[in-house]
Amino acid sequence: MGKLLASLASGIVFGIGMAVSGMTNTTRVQGFLDFFGAWDPTLAFVMGGGLLVTTLGYRFVLRNPAPLFAGSFSLPTRTDIDKPLLIGAAIFGIGWGLVGYCPGPALAGLTYGYAPTLAFIPAMILGLLLAHKITAKT
């Protein structure tokens, strides 16, 4: 139960952060990607802040023998860059640039009830299920 509550609390804090920073606004995100037009650097500051908090957080958290609600840390072991990673990153980046949403801010954006967001979420879930089905075959 503690793990679920911690996950919920983390998701709520993340969603609030996305809303406060304006990252649920697709125009702002697409403005960041518009280098030759009306470039909006806001996303760079949000990413920089997230990177700083994560870097410092890892230094403190990994000093513990295990997380609070798990027996051990679950850290990635692969460091190679392979074809599926590159293809997935390209699909993600293209979709993010076209729509202005990635999964976290899209879910946070549901609270606004905008029709494009309500259409994006089922398409995102369908894409995740399709990717899972395709990768399960390999």
Side-chain angles (χ1 to χ4, degrees):
M1 183 62 141
K3 188 175 182 178
L4 287 175
L5 289 174
S7 297
L8 177 63
S10 296
I12 289 170
V13 169
F14 178 79
I16 290 170
M18 291 292 99
V20 168
S21 66
M23 293 302 109
T24 57
N25 180 348
T26 58
T27 305
R28 177 161 280 172
V29 173
Q30 289 171 320
F32 172 74
L33 300 171
D34 186 6
F35 296 111
F36 304 109
W39 186 66
D40 182 352
T42 307
L43 181 57
F45 291 110
V46 172
M47 287 181 181
L51 185 60
L52 179 66
V53 169
T54 300
T55 301
L56 295 174
Y58 265 88
R59 290 180 136 325
F60 291 111
V61 169
L62 292 179
R63 290 180 183 168
N64 297 316
L68 290 176
F69 302 110
S72 65
F73 288 104
S74 179
L75 299 172
T77 56
R78 290 186 60 178
T79 58
D80 59 318
I81 298 173
D82 60 358
K83 187 177 175 182
L85 175 65
L86 292 174
I87 292 170
I91 291 169
F92 177 89
I94 291 167
W96 187 42
L98 290 172
V99 180
Y101 269 143
C102 62
L107 291 173
L110 278 176
T111 59
Y112 299 123
Y114 296 142
T117 309
L118 297 174
F120 174 81
I121 296 295
M124 178 184 75
I125 293 169
L126 183 63
L128 290 168
L129 292 172
L130 182 61
H132 180 70
K133 192 173 201 84
I134 290 170
T135 57
K137 292 180 182 178
T138 58

